[in-house]
Amino acid sequence: MAIALAGCRSIPDSGATAEARESTITIRFSGWQSNPHEGKLLNQVIQEFEAQHPHIDVQYEVINSEYMDVIRTRLIGDVAPDVFYLEAFEAPLLMKSGVLEPLDQYITPDFDLADFQPSLLNAFRHEGQIYGLPKDFSTLALFYNKQAFAKAGITQPPRTWAELQAVSQRLTVDTNGDRKPDQFGLGLAPELARQTFMIQAFGGALHDANGYGTFATPASLQGLSLVIDQYRRDRTAAQPTDVGATWGSEMLGQGRAAMVIEGPWSIPYFQETFPTLQFGTAEVPTVNGRRGTMAYTVAYVMNRKSQHKAAAWKLIAYLTSKQGMKSWAAQGLALPSRRSLLALGYASNPLYAPFVQGATYATIWQGTATLPVLRTHFNNQFISALLGEQTLAQAMQKAQNAANREIYLSGE
């Protein structure tokens, strides 16, 4: 969806001047929430901000359905919120379109920008300017059922993909002998957002410098074939839909998979939904001797046409300050993007440590503005290969051709 460039940028007021001129400034803030606890915690942080800034009133709106479609439509109609969430995945197009306010002019030395994880901050840079500050991030790690491991005589989680394939066979339990296991070794998520690091494991790449897909090359296929082979040939892996689950961690909680690769959001999920489950975490096993995982991050960004930029910056600055981020990160669904906060407890916590370690080498779930097109065509055809409707090479070539044709015709 094309977005027209915004008008001239206004010069930010100092916070004291802005608050003195207006008795009450209302800031509109939009985001989403994955569960009620998340919303409750964010409202608490907002209340703390309002207590420190009595002249600023924050109106927070939750948009859980078609979030980015709603935001794009409002940006076009000049009714977008002053501050809103933006995923790294969606950021390139909006930064390129000029609808976001660059934040460099607001950031002062005492904000300690250097404290942010560099790769996360760079996900919201465009042409040398910062357009968003990452509120948190998640990487992927291996979750495993300790009881299932003990029953199979496995003493430690796999460290290489070859080990993962081997222990998956030992963990796949078929009590009826009908090739419909009661428990699979691995629960997998067959989507590009989870498989990009597998494309890179043997030197492949998702796209070239111009945004055209390159995931059908022999190097890219080599990593993806490990996933396909385990599902089709070995039959030691399953999708959630194969066992009546909605996502990987539900498979693990229900005993339908002994291992899954998921994010830190699964830790509180297991503790609340499956309190008797004994689980552990480990870094994602290496592939071709290379460490790899994915990283997902979301930033607070400012609408370039906001009428209250000084107040909007105050909100962003508080939410991403050490104080605000520490309160927000207490939920454990994601990790704080400030390195000083990571060191306070997450890095030494055995359950969270693999996610922290993964941040140093993770692939950020982001690409050029063409990534949404690549994702759609990849996901459609990868599932087809997984189900055996065509070979992996045929599926990925078909997906790549269709995506690149669409990118060419759209002029991206």
Side-chain angles (χ1 to χ4, degrees):
M1 186 181 296
I3 304 177
L5 292 175
C8 296
R9 185 180 309 133
S10 63
I11 299 174
D13 297 318
S14 70
T17 303
E19 289 190 2
R21 277 206 297 262
E22 298 187 50
S23 57
T24 301
I25 298 172
T26 299
I27 295 297
R28 294 169 53 233
F29 172 32
S30 295
W32 62 81
Q33 67 180 46
S34 57
N35 60 62
H37 177 67
E38 180 180 347
K40 181 179 179 181
L41 190 55
L42 180 58
N43 283 325
Q44 177 184 323
V45 178
I46 291 173
Q47 288 173 8
E48 293 171 357
F49 167 79
E50 291 177 328
Q52 295 185 24
H53 301 84
H55 302 297
I56 301 177
D57 175 51
V58 180
Q59 293 185 354
Y60 178 58
E61 177 190 16
V62 176
I63 306 172
N64 275 343
S65 179
E66 306 297 335
Y67 174 82
M68 280 310 301
D69 288 342
V70 173
I71 292 296
R72 290 190 189 98
T73 300
R74 292 182 181 179
L75 285 168
I76 293 172
D78 291 339
V79 291
D82 300 282
V83 177
F84 57 93
Y85 286 3
L86 181 64
E87 285 186 283
F89 170 76
E90 300 281 0
L93 180 58
L94 262 64
M95 292 191 293
K96 178 181 177 181
S97 300
V99 297
L100 305 179
E101 175 78 359
L103 301 179
D104 305 76
Q105 57 188 321
Y106 303 89
I107 299 172
T108 57
D110 62 337
F111 183 70
D112 195 8
L113 190 66
D115 191 34
F116 284 84
Q117 189 76 21
S119 60
L120 304 178
L121 193 61
N122 288 337
F124 301 97
R125 285 188 194 270
H126 177 66
E127 296 183 348
Q129 292 188 297
I130 297 173
Y131 286 87
L133 292 173
K135 71 183 187 72
D136 53 26
F137 76 98
S138 302
T139 56
L140 298 177
L142 182 73
F143 284 81
Y144 59 97
N145 185 326
K146 291 184 175 181
Q147 294 157 304
F149 268 49
K151 191 173 182 179
I154 302 169
T155 58
Q156 64 181 18
R159 290 167 294 187
T160 69
W161 205 266
E163 290 179 3
L164 180 141
Q165 291 174 312
V167 300
S168 290
Q169 292 181 336
R170 294 168 62 182
L171 291 165
T172 299
V173 179
D174 181 5
T175 56
N176 298 320
D178 57 1
R179 294 180 65 82
K180 294 181 180 179
D182 306 288
Q183 174 185 277
F184 286 88
L186 178 68
L188 57 85
E191 57 189 42
L192 185 56
R194 300 296 188 92
Q195 302 298 332
T196 304
F197 77 96
M198 297 295 286
I199 291 174
Q200 299 170 336
F202 292 87
L206 178 57
H207 57 70
D208 62 20
N210 296 315
Y212 286 101
T214 56
F215 49 80
T217 63
S220 299
L221 295 177
Q222 200 166 352
L224 294 174
S225 66
L226 296 176
V227 180
I228 299 293
D229 288 347
Q230 188 168 350
Y231 185 86
R232 292 207 56 76
R233 182 193 65 200
D234 303 339
R235 297 187 182 276
T236 59
Q239 304 177 70
T241 53
D242 294 335
V243 296
T246 55
W247 64 306
S249 290
E250 187 179 11
M251 295 178 70
L252 188 74
Q254 293 178 345
R256 303 308 305 275
M259 298 181 291
V260 294
I261 296 175
E262 286 288 348
W265 52 78
S266 293
I267 295 174
Y269 169 76
F270 288 137
Q271 292 170 338
E272 295 172 9
T273 311
F274 300 99
T276 62
L277 175 67
Q278 297 178 29
F279 67 94
T281 61
E283 289 181 70
V284 174
T286 59
V287 184
N288 190 33
R290 176 175 176 171
R291 294 195 297 174
T293 186
M294 300 297 296
Y296 314 96
T297 185
V298 176
Y300 298 108
V301 297
M302 188 190 304
N303 180 355
R304 190 175 178 182
K305 291 190 175 182
S306 169
Q307 298 300 305
H308 304 293
K309 293 180 180 177
W313 165 248
K314 283 181 178 292
L315 176 61
I316 293 174
Y318 182 81
L319 292 171
T320 56
S321 68
K322 294 177 183 179
Q323 177 185 351
M325 192 176 291
K326 183 178 181 181
S327 298
W328 168 250
Q331 65 181 326
L333 290 169
L335 302 173
S337 50
R338 283 186 175 272
R339 291 180 286 186
S340 60
L341 296 180
L342 273 176
L344 288 178
Y346 291 96
S348 59
N349 184 317
L351 288 177
Y352 285 95
F355 299 99
V356 176
Q357 292 159 358
T360 61
Y361 54 83
T363 296
I364 299 286
W365 175 229
Q366 186 182 60
T368 67
T370 65
L371 185 53
V373 176
L374 300 176
R375 177 186 62 173
T376 298
H377 290 283
F378 176 96
N379 288 353
N380 290 341
Q381 298 300 330
F382 191 69
I383 286 289
S384 176
L386 198 69
L387 298 177
E389 297 170 348
Q390 55 187 323
T391 67
L392 176 64
Q394 291 170 334
M396 292 297 93
Q397 192 63 59
K398 185 181 295 184
Q400 181 175 294
N401 291 346
N404 289 347
R405 187 182 310 113
E406 184 176 338
I407 291 167
Y408 176 78
L409 293 175
S410 67
E412 289 286 356

